[in-house]
Amino acid sequence: MIRVMVVDDQELVRAGFTAILEGEPDIQVVAQAADGAAVLALARQVRPDVVLMDIRMPEVDGIQATHDITAADDLRDVKIIMLTTFETDELIVDALRAGASGYLGKGVEPEILLDAIRSVAAGDSLLSPTATRALIARVLAQPNIALASAPSALAGLTPREREILTLVASGLSNDDIAERLVISPATAKTHINRTMMKLNARDRAQLVVIAYETGLVTPGSRG
C-alpha cells in the first residue's frame, strides 16, 4: 500500500486529488495539510511514502516544506512530487534543488497522476525525457546559475559515471542510455543509482540540476 499525503492550501484541490487516489486499491491517503507549516510534524506522524506538495502556499511554501522533509534523516525515504498551477512555474527548479522528485501540473490527467505516484514510490524517476528537457530549460533560465569547469562535487565519479550523468542531463531515458553505451538497461540503471548515491542526489531530477550547475553539461552541449 502506497501511503500518500496531500498538501495544498485549496480545499477543493485537496479533495479532488484525494477522491482520485482513494479509488485505487494500492493507494491510501493518510493525511492532508493546508499549509507547509504543519507538514514536517505531520509527515513524522503518518509516515507517508509520497507527498503531493503544492509549491505556492501562504506562510510556509512548498519549497521550504520540501526542504524540511528532505533534510530530516528520519524522513529520507519520503518522496515528494511538486504540484504547480502552471508547468512553467519559475519556482520548480528551486523545488527540485530542495529535494523534490519531480513535478506535475494541477490539471494532470488522473492516470498520469497515479502512474507518477507509483513510479516515485517504487524508486523510479518521475521525469520523462520530455520533462527532463523542460527542466533543463528552467535550469538554464536561472540568472544565478554558476558554472564551474572543475567542480569538486564530481571528483568521486568514474569516467563512466560522468558519461552517464551527461546523458541523463541530456534528457535520455535508461533505455536510450543503454543503447548509446551498448549496455543493458539494468546496467544503465545501476550506474545511475551509483551516481546518485555518490552525489547525494535523491533522484534523476537532482542529477540534471547538478550536471548543469557544476558545468559538466553546458548550454548548447549535447549528449
Side-chain angles (χ1 to χ4, degrees):
M1 184 68 70
I2 302 171
R3 297 166 60 82
V4 179
M5 182 163 70
V6 180
V7 183
D8 196 289
D9 63 326
Q10 298 181 52
E11 185 175 356
L12 284 177
V13 173
R14 296 197 308 274
F17 280 122
T18 299
I20 293 170
L21 301 182
E22 288 185 339
E24 298 301 306
D26 60 332
I27 296 176
Q28 177 186 11
V29 177
V30 294
Q32 297 182 40
D35 187 86
V39 166
L40 184 61
L42 193 56
R44 285 195 164 115
Q45 179 182 339
V46 303
R47 299 289 170 172
D49 299 304
V50 178
V51 178
L52 295 180
M53 180 85 75
D54 187 18
I55 287 186
R56 297 179 183 271
M57 294 183 289
E59 297 185 34
V60 177
D61 65 19
I63 295 172
Q64 183 59 54
T66 295
H67 180 269
D68 291 343
I69 290 176
T70 59
D73 288 340
D74 57 331
L75 297 175
R76 241 186 121 68
D77 293 333
V78 177
K79 302 297 184 182
I80 300 173
I81 299 173
M82 303 307 298
L83 299 174
T84 69
T85 304
F86 304 102
E87 291 196 34
T88 55
D89 196 314
E90 68 275 12
L91 299 177
I92 196 66
V93 172
D94 292 333
L96 295 169
R97 284 193 183 111
S101 295
Y103 59 93
L104 292 171
K106 287 187 180 180
V108 65
E109 294 292 327
E111 286 305 313
I112 295 177
L113 171 67
L114 296 170
D115 287 346
I117 290 172
R118 291 180 178 119
S119 294
V120 167
D124 294 330
S125 171
L126 175 57
L127 292 183
S128 66
T130 299
T132 300
R133 285 189 285 272
L135 171 57
I136 289 169
R138 289 185 177 88
V139 172
L140 297 182
Q142 297 297 297
N144 59 345
I145 184 169
L147 300 177
S149 58
S152 59
L154 305 182
L157 299 185
T158 65
R160 173 65 92 187
E161 288 162 353
R162 283 176 175 254
E163 187 175 21
I164 289 284
L165 179 56
T166 300
L167 296 176
V168 168
S170 298
L172 298 187
S173 67
N174 288 6
D175 288 344
D176 292 335
I177 291 172
E179 183 177 355
R180 177 76 65 91
L181 299 181
V182 196
I183 57 178
S184 71
T187 299
K189 186 172 183 178
T190 297
H191 282 308
I192 292 169
N193 289 340
R194 189 173 297 131
T195 303
M196 286 194 295
M197 183 174 62
K198 286 187 176 182
L199 295 176
N200 198 30
R202 291 170 65 91
D203 48 47
R204 195 186 199 95
Q206 287 195 309
L207 286 183
V208 176
V209 174
I210 289 169
Y212 274 85
E213 289 189 327
T214 58
L216 181 65
V217 178
T218 57
S221 64
R222 298 185 178 274

